[in-house]
Amino acid sequence: MKLSIKSLVGPNIRSLRAYSAKEIPCSVKLDANESPYGFEIADKILKSIKTNRYPDPEAKTLKKIIAKNLRLNPENIVFGNGSDELIYYLITVFGGPVLYPVPTFSMYGIISQALGEKRIEVPLDDEFDLDTDRILSLIKKEKPGIIFLSSPNNPTGNCFSSERILKIVEFASSLVTRHSSLVVVDEAYQPFSSEKGFLPMLNDYKNLVSLRTLSKIGFAGLRVGFMIADKEIINEVNKVRLPFNLNSISQAVAAELIKNLKTIKLHIGLITSERERLLNELWKIRGIKPYPSEANFILFKVKNSDKIYYRLLKKGVLVRNMKDVVNGCLRVTVGTKQENSIFIKTLKEVMK
Ligand code: PMP
């Protein structure tokens, strides 16, 4: 008898669709919300790495630097191999149901399904903001273990209203529900936002977690994500965290390069001003409806989005086709001034 591997895996994995992370050849890469500005790694840093020894399981040096930069206590930080890994750990520890608005970052759903947890998807309102009434009633009814709110939200680009987020955090920790849910505000794109984010609120709400990453500010290749939370939450996550999840090279390189705060801020400034230029240019193109953004990407609606996506790609410009998530929309990452100009010029050509 022929062995069917599919029959060996659970139904949750059988029906799971893997995250689409293909390498697509192109000349202008604006699909993955990376920074267009990288950093050179000095030989001195690489020479300091001991390949025969395990990495520091706590990543203490890097933790100290990040804690100092963000004025946090190192005890409130834990690292992941990208923030993706921390999403995995959080769902493993706190369990489901897992509630999140849609459209949003697909990994909340993928990881929930992989771990066999129930998913509760709540559509955003017409302004891409949180439907608080619906979320509160679902918290009461379904008692989720964890709630993910990406703000700024990927792929819509906007921040959710802070009052709505706090209302959810408060309700999820109140006795009204006779149950508390952890609320994770995923702040992957916070550095590009005009809003101050949720770090200052962490002391006020024990069930609030901020998820951060270095991926969007120039270090996507290092895979360094971190979360900031109450020490008790950190302790629980540490129980499931793989012992050496952040490798020596990433730790050493990130610790050294993160010291270039001035340059990182300069890059963020360039990206946010280019974002506004790009938004203005997109508005001028007939048939395109861009959405305002507080992140390093812009979502835009366009007729025949599939066709436009492939026409752009044919000319070497890679954006993200969001057809499975937001009908008729494409998402473009803000690149360098030159890359953005090529994108706009090519988009005008393919729209003709
Ligand atoms: N959260 C959001 C909202 C994202 O868009 C991404 C990356 N696309 C991540 C988390 C994961 O980032 P990383 O694993 O690179 O830290």
Side-chain angles (χ1 to χ4, degrees), residues 27 45 97 122 151-152 157 165 171 174 184 190 225 268 281:
S27 48
I45 305 175
V122 190
S151 188
I165 293 181
F171 191 79
S174 76
V184 180
Q190 206 286 324
I268 292 171
E281 292 291 332

Side-chain angles (χ1 to χ4, degrees), residues 25-52:
C26 62
S27 48
V28 179
K29 189 176 184 313
L30 301 174
D31 68 322
N33 300 343
E34 299 145 329
S35 169
Y37 307 109
F39 290 83
E40 255 180 49
I41 304 167
D43 289 349
K44 184 181 89 187
I45 305 175
L46 292 177
K47 283 195 179 125
S48 73
I49 295 160
K50 293 191 177 78
T51 61
N52 59 321

Side-chain angles (χ1 to χ4, degrees), residues 178-240:
R178 290 208 184 80
H179 167 90
S180 299
S181 316
L182 203 72
V183 180
V184 180
V185 182
D186 184 342
E187 302 194 283
Y189 301 98
Q190 206 286 324
F192 306 100
S193 165
S194 56
E195 304 215 2
K196 63 179 191 296
F198 281 79
L199 290 184
M201 269 77 117
L202 290 177
N203 279 336
D204 300 334
Y205 303 97
K206 201 166 175 171
N207 63 329
L208 177 62
V209 174
S210 169
L211 196 58
R212 298 284 181 126
T213 180
L214 301 189
S215 293
K216 313 297 169 188
I217 55 170
F219 308 101
L222 298 183
R223 309 303 296 125
V224 181
F226 57 104
M227 58 174 251
I228 307 111
D230 186 272
K231 208 175 154 228
E232 279 188 64
I233 297 175
I234 302 286
N235 287 344
E236 296 306 321
V237 167
N238 270 329
K239 290 183 192 169
V240 302

